[in-house]
Amino acid sequence: MKRLLMCYAVVLVAACASTPAYGPAAKSGAMGYESLQIENNRFRVSYTDTDAAKARDRALLRAAEITMERGAEWFEVTSSYSSDESVGDRAPRSSVTIGGSSGSYGRSSVGVGVGIGFPIGGSSGGKVTEVLEILIGSGEKPDRPNVYDARSVDINLRGAATS
């Protein structure tokens, strides 16, 4: 029985730690991407994930998708920032629990537990949102460091984002 409970706990922790598949956010602030057209060729793209690197890559992938959907060839990241909801959430947490049960022969018991939890790893399960403002264009790609070829970004990032 202990072994079964231990296996269940490991599966539960693994399920909580995994990153959801690439796709649109179900609602504002949820995991996934959001896009907003600001002007004819300017967009704000954001991606929320539990991993900062994945959030950045997936925001770039969404920018490439928008660019190609509009028939353009390249996009320039004109501004970007990250919002980390787990900042300040790395401190140990304590809890007190009280439980009761009734056992065989009419006996009942009450238990009190005190626990302290420490976040493991670089994040404590908080969400990171990467926000990009992009300008899309066609023709010769400008020779600036923040200008990306949309097709190349799509080819290079799609496999990692959909796995």
Side-chain angles (χ1 to χ4, degrees):
M1 183 67 169
K2 284 183 182 181
R3 188 172 252 176
L4 180 63
L5 287 173
M6 185 62 117
C7 288
Y8 178 72
V10 168
V11 169
L12 185 62
V13 169
C16 291
S18 67
T19 299
Y22 175 79
K27 61 181 182 176
S28 183
M31 304 283 270
Y33 64 75
E34 295 182 58
S35 309
L36 174 67
Q37 186 170 3
I38 299 170
E39 292 179 333
N40 197 29
N41 62 345
R42 188 178 298 272
F43 297 83
R44 182 173 301 123
V45 178
S46 65
Y47 200 96
T48 301
D49 201 302
T50 57
D51 180 279
K54 284 186 180 180
R56 173 74 178 180
D57 286 350
R58 290 176 173 188
L60 285 169
L61 177 59
R62 181 62 186 147
E65 288 175 343
I66 290 171
T67 302
M68 293 186 300
E69 287 169 2
R70 300 291 192 277
E73 298 168 349
W74 52 264
F75 64 93
E76 180 174 12
V77 177
T78 58
S79 67
S80 67
Y81 67 91
S82 293
S83 169
D84 186 348
E85 294 180 23
S86 66
V87 172
D89 198 27
R90 301 189 199 298
R93 298 193 182 252
S94 60
S95 65
V96 176
T97 58
I98 300 173
S101 69
S102 58
S104 57
Y105 306 110
R107 295 183 184 170
S108 56
S109 63
V110 174
V112 176
V114 177
I116 187 164
F118 294 93
I120 299 173
S123 173
S124 59
K127 294 186 288 185
V128 177
T129 301
E130 182 71 26
V131 181
L132 308 176
E133 189 167 310
I134 64 166
L135 181 66
I136 65 173
S138 292
E140 187 173 336
K141 181 175 86 90
D143 188 21
R144 293 189 291 272
N146 289 331
V147 180
Y148 299 84
D149 178 78
R151 191 162 314 284
S152 293
V153 170
D154 186 69
I155 289 168
N156 290 320
L157 297 180
R158 178 146 323 268
T162 57
S163 60

